[in-house]
Amino acid sequence: MIQRDTVELSDQQRLVRDSIREICADFNEAYWRERDRNGEYPYEFADALAEHGWFGALIPEEYGGAGMGTPETVVMMEEIAASGGGFSAAQSVHGGIYNSVSLVEYGSEDLKNDLLPKVASGEVSIQAFGLTEPNAGSDSTAIETRARKEGEEYVIDGQKIWTSRVDASDYLVLMARTTPREDVEKRTRGISMFLVDIDEALSNGALEIEPIEKTASNAVHSYECWFEGLRVPEDRLIGEEGRGFYQMLDGLNEERLVIAAECVGLGEAALDAGVAYANQREVFGRSIGTNQAIQHPLAAAYARVQAAKAVVYNGADAAASESGVDLGARANVAKYLASEAAFEAADAAVQTHGGFGIAREYDVERYFREARLTRLVPITQQLALNFLGENVLGMERSY
Ligand SMILES: Cc1cc2nc3c(=O)[nH]c(=O)nc-3n(C[C@H](O)[C@H](O)[C@H](O)COP(=O)(O)OP(=O)(O)OC[C@H]3O[C@@H](n4cnc5c(N)ncnc54)[C@H](O)[C@@H]3O)c2cc1C
Protein backbone atom coordinates (compact mmCIF):
# COMPACT_ATOMS: atom_id res chain seq x y z
CA MET A 1 0.00 0.00 0.00
CA ILE A 2 1.27 3.47 -0.81
CA GLN A 3 1.62 6.03 1.99
CA ARG A 4 -1.76 7.80 2.17
CA ASP A 5 -1.99 9.20 5.68
CA THR A 6 -0.27 12.41 4.71
CA VAL A 7 -2.45 15.10 6.28
CA GLU A 8 -3.10 15.82 9.93
CA LEU A 9 -6.59 14.57 10.84
CA SER A 10 -8.81 15.57 13.75
CA ASP A 11 -10.12 12.85 16.09
CA GLN A 12 -13.47 13.02 14.34
CA GLN A 13 -11.84 12.66 10.91
CA ARG A 14 -9.84 9.66 12.14
CA LEU A 15 -13.04 8.03 13.33
CA VAL A 16 -14.64 8.60 9.93
CA ARG A 17 -11.56 7.23 8.14
CA ASP A 18 -11.47 4.07 10.24
CA SER A 19 -15.22 3.39 10.00
CA ILE A 20 -15.29 3.87 6.24
CA ARG A 21 -12.17 1.73 5.77
CA GLU A 22 -13.88 -1.02 7.71
CA ILE A 23 -17.00 -0.91 5.54
CA CYS A 24 -15.00 -0.69 2.31
CA ALA A 25 -12.89 -3.70 3.30
CA ASP A 26 -15.92 -5.86 2.43
CA PHE A 27 -15.96 -4.50 -1.14
CA ASN A 28 -12.71 -5.26 -2.89
CA GLU A 29 -11.45 -4.41 -6.39
CA ALA A 30 -13.11 -7.54 -7.79
CA TYR A 31 -16.49 -6.33 -6.51
CA TRP A 32 -16.09 -2.97 -8.28
CA ARG A 33 -14.65 -4.58 -11.41
CA GLU A 34 -17.76 -6.75 -11.69
CA ARG A 35 -20.16 -3.86 -11.11
CA ASP A 36 -18.36 -1.89 -13.83
CA ARG A 37 -18.20 -4.81 -16.25
CA ASN A 38 -21.88 -5.70 -15.81
CA GLY A 39 -23.13 -2.14 -15.47
CA GLU A 40 -24.74 -2.93 -12.11
CA TYR A 41 -25.44 -0.34 -9.44
CA PRO A 42 -23.61 -1.32 -6.20
CA TYR A 43 -26.71 -1.85 -4.06
CA GLU A 44 -24.85 -3.96 -1.46
CA PHE A 45 -22.32 -1.19 -0.90
CA ALA A 46 -24.97 1.55 -0.70
CA ASP A 47 -26.96 -0.62 1.73
CA ALA A 48 -23.89 -1.12 3.92
CA LEU A 49 -23.35 2.65 4.11
CA ALA A 50 -27.06 3.20 4.78
CA GLU A 51 -27.03 0.62 7.56
CA HIS A 52 -24.31 2.60 9.32
CA GLY A 53 -26.18 5.89 8.85
CA TRP A 54 -23.76 7.44 6.37
CA PHE A 55 -26.47 8.92 4.15
CA GLY A 56 -27.21 11.18 7.08
CA ALA A 57 -23.64 12.46 7.30
CA LEU A 58 -24.65 16.05 6.48
CA ILE A 59 -28.09 15.96 8.09
CA PRO A 60 -28.30 17.77 11.45
CA GLU A 61 -28.65 15.59 14.54
CA GLU A 62 -32.12 17.01 15.30
CA TYR A 63 -33.35 15.26 12.11
CA GLY A 64 -31.59 12.00 12.93
CA GLY A 65 -28.37 12.68 11.02
CA ALA A 66 -24.73 12.73 12.07
CA GLY A 67 -24.40 16.52 11.80
CA MET A 68 -21.02 16.33 10.12
CA GLY A 69 -19.48 18.82 7.70
CA THR A 70 -17.02 19.11 4.84
CA PRO A 71 -13.89 18.08 6.83
CA GLU A 72 -15.48 14.72 7.58
CA THR A 73 -17.07 14.25 4.15
CA VAL A 74 -13.77 14.72 2.30
CA VAL A 75 -12.29 11.91 4.39
CA MET A 76 -15.29 9.69 3.77
CA MET A 77 -15.31 10.11 -0.01
CA GLU A 78 -11.54 9.94 -0.44
CA GLU A 79 -11.53 6.65 1.49
CA ILE A 80 -14.34 5.19 -0.61
CA ALA A 81 -12.56 6.04 -3.87
CA ALA A 82 -9.13 4.93 -2.62
CA SER A 83 -10.50 1.56 -1.46
CA GLY A 84 -10.49 0.34 -5.06
CA GLY A 85 -13.99 1.55 -5.84
CA GLY A 86 -12.61 4.64 -7.56
CA PHE A 87 -14.68 7.62 -8.62
CA SER A 88 -17.67 5.38 -9.39
CA ALA A 89 -17.93 4.05 -5.86
CA ALA A 90 -17.90 7.58 -4.49
CA GLN A 91 -20.33 8.79 -7.15
CA SER A 92 -22.69 5.89 -6.48
CA VAL A 93 -23.54 7.46 -3.12
CA HIS A 94 -22.47 11.08 -3.56
CA GLY A 95 -25.94 12.32 -4.54
CA GLY A 96 -27.58 10.53 -1.66
CA ILE A 97 -25.40 12.44 0.76
CA TYR A 98 -25.39 15.82 -0.96
CA ASN A 99 -28.90 16.23 -2.33
CA SER A 100 -30.36 16.49 1.15
CA VAL A 101 -28.30 19.63 1.81
CA SER A 102 -30.75 21.88 -0.10
CA LEU A 103 -33.58 20.33 1.85
CA VAL A 104 -31.80 20.99 5.15
CA GLU A 105 -31.11 24.61 4.20
CA TYR A 106 -34.30 25.54 2.35
CA GLY A 107 -36.98 22.87 2.83
CA SER A 108 -40.13 23.59 4.83
CA GLU A 109 -40.20 22.22 8.38
CA ASP A 110 -42.91 19.74 7.33
CA LEU A 111 -40.81 18.40 4.47
CA LYS A 112 -37.70 18.21 6.65
CA ASN A 113 -39.48 16.45 9.50
CA ASP A 114 -41.05 14.03 7.08
CA LEU A 115 -38.05 13.16 4.93
CA LEU A 116 -34.72 13.87 6.58
CA PRO A 117 -34.94 11.21 9.32
CA LYS A 118 -35.83 8.65 6.63
CA VAL A 119 -32.88 9.73 4.48
CA ALA A 120 -30.57 9.54 7.50
CA SER A 121 -31.73 6.02 8.31
CA GLY A 122 -31.43 4.92 4.68
CA GLU A 123 -35.14 4.22 4.35
CA VAL A 124 -35.54 6.86 1.63
CA SER A 125 -32.99 8.12 -0.88
CA ILE A 126 -32.60 11.44 -2.69
CA GLN A 127 -29.81 10.34 -5.01
CA ALA A 128 -30.79 12.13 -8.23
CA PHE A 129 -30.31 15.76 -9.21
CA GLY A 130 -31.48 17.09 -12.57
CA LEU A 131 -30.08 20.33 -13.92
CA THR A 132 -28.31 19.56 -17.23
CA GLU A 133 -30.34 19.58 -20.45
CA PRO A 134 -29.43 18.87 -24.06
CA ASN A 135 -29.04 22.64 -24.65
CA ALA A 136 -27.84 23.59 -21.18
CA GLY A 137 -24.68 22.01 -19.79
CA SER A 138 -21.92 24.45 -18.90
CA ASP A 139 -24.42 27.25 -19.57
CA SER A 140 -26.75 25.92 -16.92
CA THR A 141 -29.04 28.94 -16.68
CA ALA A 142 -30.12 28.18 -20.27
CA ILE A 143 -32.39 25.39 -18.98
CA GLU A 144 -35.77 25.31 -20.70
CA THR A 145 -37.69 22.82 -18.56
CA ARG A 146 -40.73 24.81 -17.44
CA ALA A 147 -42.79 24.66 -14.26
CA ARG A 148 -46.15 26.46 -14.41
CA LYS A 149 -48.29 27.07 -11.35
CA GLU A 150 -51.82 25.65 -11.64
CA GLY A 151 -53.81 26.01 -8.43
CA GLU A 152 -51.89 24.22 -5.69
CA GLU A 153 -49.62 22.38 -8.08
CA TYR A 154 -46.79 23.03 -10.48
CA VAL A 155 -46.99 21.40 -13.90
CA ILE A 156 -43.59 20.54 -15.32
CA ASP A 157 -42.66 19.92 -18.96
CA GLY A 158 -39.21 19.53 -20.44
CA GLN A 159 -36.17 17.36 -20.86
CA LYS A 160 -33.07 16.62 -18.81
CA ILE A 161 -29.94 14.74 -19.76
CA TRP A 162 -27.22 13.00 -17.76
CA THR A 163 -29.42 12.76 -14.68
CA SER A 164 -27.55 10.16 -12.63
CA ARG A 165 -28.84 7.51 -10.19
CA VAL A 166 -32.53 7.90 -11.12
CA ASP A 167 -32.74 4.10 -10.83
CA ALA A 168 -31.25 4.12 -7.33
CA SER A 169 -33.33 6.93 -5.91
CA ASP A 170 -36.78 7.58 -4.49
CA TYR A 171 -36.66 11.31 -5.18
CA LEU A 172 -35.20 13.63 -7.77
CA VAL A 173 -34.22 17.22 -7.03
CA LEU A 174 -35.31 18.90 -10.25
CA MET A 175 -34.36 22.37 -11.48
CA ALA A 176 -36.94 24.07 -13.69
CA ARG A 177 -37.70 27.56 -14.93
CA THR A 178 -40.69 29.19 -13.30
CA THR A 179 -39.94 32.37 -15.28
CA PRO A 180 -38.48 32.20 -18.80
CA ARG A 181 -34.91 33.45 -19.20
CA GLU A 182 -35.99 36.32 -21.45
CA ASP A 183 -38.32 37.66 -18.73
CA VAL A 184 -35.79 37.86 -15.89
CA GLU A 185 -33.34 40.64 -15.19
CA LYS A 186 -30.52 38.23 -14.38
CA ARG A 187 -30.32 34.80 -15.99
CA THR A 188 -29.71 33.20 -12.59
CA ARG A 189 -33.20 34.25 -11.50
CA GLY A 190 -36.48 32.54 -12.28
CA ILE A 191 -35.23 28.99 -11.67
CA SER A 192 -36.89 26.88 -8.97
CA MET A 193 -36.03 23.66 -7.17
CA PHE A 194 -38.55 20.82 -6.85
CA LEU A 195 -38.63 17.50 -5.09
CA VAL A 196 -40.08 14.88 -7.44
CA ASP A 197 -41.31 11.44 -6.38
CA ILE A 198 -39.70 9.29 -9.08
CA ASP A 199 -41.91 6.18 -8.82
CA GLU A 200 -45.06 8.26 -8.85
CA ALA A 201 -43.89 10.25 -11.89
CA LEU A 202 -42.96 7.07 -13.75
CA SER A 203 -46.20 5.29 -12.95
CA ASN A 204 -48.28 8.35 -13.97
CA GLY A 205 -46.53 8.37 -17.31
CA ALA A 206 -45.36 11.94 -16.64
CA LEU A 207 -41.71 10.86 -16.66
CA GLU A 208 -39.93 8.71 -19.20
CA ILE A 209 -36.30 7.71 -18.79
CA GLU A 210 -33.70 6.22 -21.08
CA PRO A 211 -30.22 5.17 -19.87
CA ILE A 212 -27.26 6.72 -21.69
CA GLU A 213 -24.64 4.25 -22.91
CA LYS A 214 -21.25 5.47 -21.75
CA THR A 215 -17.68 4.29 -21.37
CA ALA A 216 -16.84 5.29 -17.81
CA SER A 217 -18.44 4.74 -14.43
CA ASN A 218 -20.70 1.99 -15.75
CA ALA A 219 -21.99 1.10 -12.30
CA VAL A 220 -23.59 4.52 -11.92
CA HIS A 221 -26.27 5.02 -14.53
CA SER A 222 -27.11 8.35 -16.11
CA TYR A 223 -30.39 9.01 -17.89
CA GLU A 224 -32.12 11.12 -20.40
CA CYS A 225 -35.43 12.17 -18.83
CA TRP A 226 -38.59 13.52 -20.45
CA PHE A 227 -41.22 15.27 -18.34
CA GLU A 228 -44.70 15.78 -19.71
CA GLY A 229 -47.43 17.30 -17.57
CA LEU A 230 -45.69 16.23 -14.37
CA ARG A 231 -47.78 17.51 -11.45
CA VAL A 232 -45.83 18.45 -8.33
CA PRO A 233 -47.69 19.68 -5.23
CA GLU A 234 -46.65 23.20 -4.23
CA ASP A 235 -45.35 21.93 -0.91
CA ARG A 236 -42.68 20.05 -2.88
CA LEU A 237 -41.13 23.33 -4.00
CA ILE A 238 -37.82 23.50 -2.10
CA GLY A 239 -37.19 27.02 -0.83
CA GLU A 240 -38.40 30.06 -2.70
CA GLU A 241 -39.85 30.20 -6.20
CA GLY A 242 -37.33 31.74 -8.59
CA ARG A 243 -34.40 31.43 -6.16
CA GLY A 244 -33.50 27.80 -6.92
CA PHE A 245 -30.27 28.60 -8.72
CA TYR A 246 -28.94 30.56 -5.74
CA GLN A 247 -30.01 27.79 -3.40
CA MET A 248 -28.06 25.35 -5.56
CA LEU A 249 -24.97 27.57 -5.55
CA ASP A 250 -25.04 27.74 -1.78
CA GLY A 251 -23.02 24.71 -0.73
CA LEU A 252 -21.69 24.06 -4.23
CA ASN A 253 -18.12 24.95 -3.28
CA GLU A 254 -18.14 22.53 -0.39
CA GLU A 255 -19.51 19.82 -2.65
CA ARG A 256 -16.80 20.61 -5.19
CA LEU A 257 -14.14 20.11 -2.51
CA VAL A 258 -15.64 16.71 -1.78
CA ILE A 259 -15.57 15.77 -5.46
CA ALA A 260 -11.92 16.82 -5.48
CA ALA A 261 -11.38 14.43 -2.55
CA GLU A 262 -12.96 11.66 -4.65
CA CYS A 263 -10.43 12.44 -7.41
CA VAL A 264 -7.61 12.26 -4.85
CA GLY A 265 -8.85 8.83 -3.72
CA LEU A 266 -9.06 7.68 -7.33
CA GLY A 267 -5.47 8.83 -7.95
CA GLU A 268 -4.33 6.97 -4.85
CA ALA A 269 -6.07 3.77 -5.94
CA ALA A 270 -4.39 3.99 -9.34
CA LEU A 271 -0.97 4.60 -7.79
CA ASP A 272 -1.46 1.71 -5.40
CA ALA A 273 -2.13 -0.63 -8.31
CA GLY A 274 0.73 0.85 -10.36
CA VAL A 275 3.33 0.55 -7.60
CA ALA A 276 2.26 -3.00 -6.68
CA TYR A 277 2.61 -4.10 -10.30
CA ALA A 278 5.95 -2.26 -10.72
CA ASN A 279 7.37 -4.18 -7.76
CA GLN A 280 6.05 -7.53 -8.88
CA ARG A 281 6.50 -7.66 -12.67
CA GLU A 282 9.89 -8.85 -13.92
CA VAL A 283 11.18 -7.99 -17.39
CA PHE A 284 14.77 -8.54 -18.59
CA GLY A 285 15.33 -10.48 -15.39
CA ARG A 286 14.58 -7.63 -12.98
CA SER A 287 11.57 -5.91 -11.51
CA ILE A 288 10.29 -3.12 -13.78
CA GLY A 289 10.04 -0.82 -10.73
CA THR A 290 13.84 -0.60 -10.66
CA ASN A 291 13.69 1.36 -13.94
CA GLN A 292 13.44 5.07 -13.28
CA ALA A 293 11.33 5.40 -16.43
CA ILE A 294 8.73 3.45 -14.45
CA GLN A 295 9.47 4.96 -11.02
CA HIS A 296 9.48 8.64 -11.95
CA PRO A 297 6.04 8.94 -13.56
CA LEU A 298 4.53 7.17 -10.53
CA ALA A 299 6.53 9.31 -8.09
CA ALA A 300 5.66 12.54 -9.94
CA ALA A 301 1.97 11.59 -9.98
CA TYR A 302 2.17 10.75 -6.26
CA ALA A 303 3.60 14.21 -5.57
CA ARG A 304 0.77 15.85 -7.53
CA VAL A 305 -1.95 13.76 -5.90
CA GLN A 306 -0.60 14.61 -2.45
CA ALA A 307 -0.33 18.31 -3.33
CA ALA A 308 -3.97 18.26 -4.48
CA LYS A 309 -4.90 16.46 -1.28
CA ALA A 310 -3.30 19.19 0.83
CA VAL A 311 -5.34 21.82 -1.03
CA VAL A 312 -8.55 19.79 -0.59
CA TYR A 313 -8.10 19.29 3.16
CA ASN A 314 -7.03 22.87 3.65
CA GLY A 315 -10.18 24.01 1.80
CA ALA A 316 -12.34 21.66 3.86
CA ASP A 317 -10.95 23.13 7.10
CA ALA A 318 -11.57 26.63 5.76
CA ALA A 319 -15.16 25.67 4.89
CA ALA A 320 -15.76 24.65 8.49
CA SER A 321 -13.95 27.59 10.07
CA GLU A 322 -16.36 30.28 8.78
CA SER A 323 -13.39 32.61 8.59
CA GLY A 324 -14.75 34.25 5.46
CA VAL A 325 -12.15 32.81 3.08
CA ASP A 326 -12.90 32.71 -0.64
CA LEU A 327 -14.15 29.14 -0.81
CA GLY A 328 -14.92 29.42 -4.53
CA ALA A 329 -11.24 29.95 -5.27
CA ARG A 330 -10.17 27.04 -3.09
CA ALA A 331 -12.82 24.64 -4.36
CA ASN A 332 -12.04 25.31 -8.02
CA VAL A 333 -8.28 25.13 -7.48
CA ALA A 334 -8.76 21.84 -5.60
CA LYS A 335 -11.07 20.29 -8.18
CA TYR A 336 -8.86 21.35 -11.09
CA LEU A 337 -5.66 20.03 -9.50
CA ALA A 338 -7.21 16.82 -8.17
CA SER A 339 -8.68 15.85 -11.56
CA GLU A 340 -5.39 16.49 -13.34
CA ALA A 341 -3.45 14.57 -10.67
CA ALA A 342 -5.87 11.62 -10.83
CA PHE A 343 -5.52 11.52 -14.59
CA GLU A 344 -1.73 11.62 -14.41
CA ALA A 345 -1.73 8.85 -11.77
CA ALA A 346 -4.08 6.62 -13.76
CA ASP A 347 -2.10 7.18 -16.96
CA ALA A 348 1.18 6.28 -15.20
CA ALA A 349 -0.46 3.19 -13.71
CA VAL A 350 -1.67 2.05 -17.15
CA GLN A 351 1.78 2.61 -18.70
CA THR A 352 3.39 0.67 -15.85
CA HIS A 353 1.17 -2.31 -16.65
CA GLY A 354 2.28 -2.47 -20.29
CA GLY A 355 -0.28 -4.36 -22.37
CA PHE A 356 -2.07 -5.45 -19.22
CA GLY A 357 -2.84 -1.78 -18.66
CA ILE A 358 -5.93 -2.25 -20.78
CA ALA A 359 -6.85 -5.70 -19.44
CA ARG A 360 -9.93 -5.48 -17.25
CA GLU A 361 -8.53 -7.75 -14.55
CA TYR A 362 -5.91 -5.20 -13.48
CA ASP A 363 -8.36 -2.36 -12.72
CA VAL A 364 -6.09 0.44 -13.92
CA GLU A 365 -8.02 0.77 -17.19
CA ARG A 366 -11.16 1.32 -15.09
CA TYR A 367 -9.39 4.01 -13.06
CA PHE A 368 -8.11 5.58 -16.27
CA ARG A 369 -11.60 5.82 -17.78
CA GLU A 370 -12.88 7.32 -14.56
CA ALA A 371 -9.99 9.78 -14.32
CA ARG A 372 -10.85 11.01 -17.80
CA LEU A 373 -14.43 11.52 -16.65
CA THR A 374 -13.36 13.63 -13.67
CA ARG A 375 -12.08 16.24 -16.13
CA LEU A 376 -15.65 16.64 -17.42
CA VAL A 377 -17.86 16.55 -14.35
CA PRO A 378 -19.55 18.06 -12.49
CA ILE A 379 -18.15 20.96 -14.48
CA THR A 380 -15.40 20.75 -17.08
CA GLN A 381 -11.83 21.75 -16.29
CA GLN A 382 -12.24 24.74 -18.61
CA LEU A 383 -15.16 26.03 -16.57
CA ALA A 384 -13.15 25.67 -13.35
CA LEU A 385 -10.38 27.72 -14.99
CA ASN A 386 -12.96 30.24 -16.23
CA PHE A 387 -14.05 30.69 -12.62
CA LEU A 388 -10.49 31.30 -11.48
CA GLY A 389 -9.68 33.58 -14.42
CA GLU A 390 -12.75 35.74 -13.95
CA ASN A 391 -13.57 35.65 -10.26
CA VAL A 392 -10.17 35.22 -8.67
CA LEU A 393 -7.73 36.78 -11.13
CA GLY A 394 -10.16 39.50 -12.18
CA MET A 395 -10.04 39.03 -15.96
CA GLU A 396 -12.94 39.86 -18.22
CA ARG A 397 -15.67 37.36 -19.01
CA SER A 398 -16.01 36.80 -22.75
CA TYR A 399 -19.24 34.79 -23.00
C1 LIG B 1 -21.27 10.65 -16.23
C2 LIG B 1 -21.95 11.97 -16.09
C3 LIG B 1 -22.83 12.17 -15.04
C4 LIG B 1 -23.52 13.38 -14.92
N1 LIG B 1 -24.45 13.52 -13.92
C5 LIG B 1 -25.22 14.63 -13.89
C6 LIG B 1 -26.30 14.74 -12.95
O1 LIG B 1 -26.54 13.83 -12.14
N2 LIG B 1 -27.09 15.85 -13.00
C7 LIG B 1 -26.87 16.86 -13.89
O2 LIG B 1 -27.61 17.85 -13.86
N3 LIG B 1 -25.84 16.80 -14.78
C8 LIG B 1 -25.03 15.71 -14.81
N4 LIG B 1 -24.00 15.62 -15.74
C9 LIG B 1 -23.81 16.69 -16.71
C10 LIG B 1 -22.52 17.50 -16.53
O3 LIG B 1 -22.68 18.37 -15.44
C11 LIG B 1 -22.25 18.23 -17.86
O4 LIG B 1 -21.88 17.24 -18.80
C12 LIG B 1 -21.17 19.27 -17.75
O5 LIG B 1 -21.63 20.36 -16.99
C13 LIG B 1 -20.73 19.79 -19.12
O6 LIG B 1 -21.82 20.17 -19.90
P1 LIG B 1 -21.96 19.63 -21.41
O7 LIG B 1 -21.68 18.17 -21.39
O8 LIG B 1 -23.28 20.07 -21.94
O9 LIG B 1 -20.80 20.34 -22.21
P2 LIG B 1 -20.92 21.74 -22.98
O10 LIG B 1 -21.44 22.78 -22.08
O11 LIG B 1 -21.63 21.51 -24.27
O12 LIG B 1 -19.40 22.06 -23.29
C14 LIG B 1 -18.68 21.41 -24.34
C15 LIG B 1 -17.22 21.81 -24.26
O13 LIG B 1 -17.08 23.22 -24.48
C16 LIG B 1 -16.36 23.80 -23.40
N5 LIG B 1 -16.85 25.17 -23.19
C17 LIG B 1 -18.12 25.62 -23.30
N6 LIG B 1 -18.18 26.93 -23.02
C18 LIG B 1 -16.92 27.32 -22.70
C19 LIG B 1 -16.33 28.55 -22.30
N7 LIG B 1 -17.04 29.66 -22.16
N8 LIG B 1 -15.01 28.57 -22.03
C20 LIG B 1 -14.26 27.45 -22.17
N9 LIG B 1 -14.76 26.26 -22.56
C21 LIG B 1 -16.08 26.20 -22.81
C22 LIG B 1 -16.64 22.90 -22.22
O14 LIG B 1 -15.66 23.03 -21.20
C23 LIG B 1 -16.60 21.53 -22.90
O15 LIG B 1 -15.28 21.11 -23.05
C24 LIG B 1 -23.28 14.43 -15.85
C25 LIG B 1 -22.37 14.23 -16.89
C26 LIG B 1 -21.72 13.02 -17.03
C27 LIG B 1 -20.79 12.83 -18.18
Side-chain angles (χ1 to χ4, degrees), residues 210-228:
E210 188 75 45
I212 299 171
E213 272 192 57
K214 53 188 172 62
T215 54
S217 204
N218 296 331
V220 184
H221 309 137
S222 301
Y223 291 85
E224 201 160 354
C225 303
W226 291 268
F227 302 90
E228 205 183 326

Side-chain angles (χ1 to χ4, degrees), residues 129 131-132 137-138 162 164 222 373 376-378 380 382-383 386 399:
F129 174 76
L131 172 67
T132 307
S138 305
W162 290 115
S164 302
S222 301
L373 171 63
L376 300 170
V377 292
T380 62
Q382 294 102 306
L383 267 286
N386 284 5
Y399 53 96

Side-chain angles (χ1 to χ4, degrees), residues 8 28 61 100 105 114 171 205 243 249 279 282 304 306 311 330 339 355 391 394:
E8 197 68 38
N28 61 12
E61 288 173 32
S100 54
E105 293 298 325
D114 177 31
Y171 289 95
R243 301 285 305 169
L249 291 181
N279 285 331
E282 291 201 356
R304 293 209 168 88
Q306 292 309 314
V311 177
R330 298 203 186 194
S339 292
N391 299 305

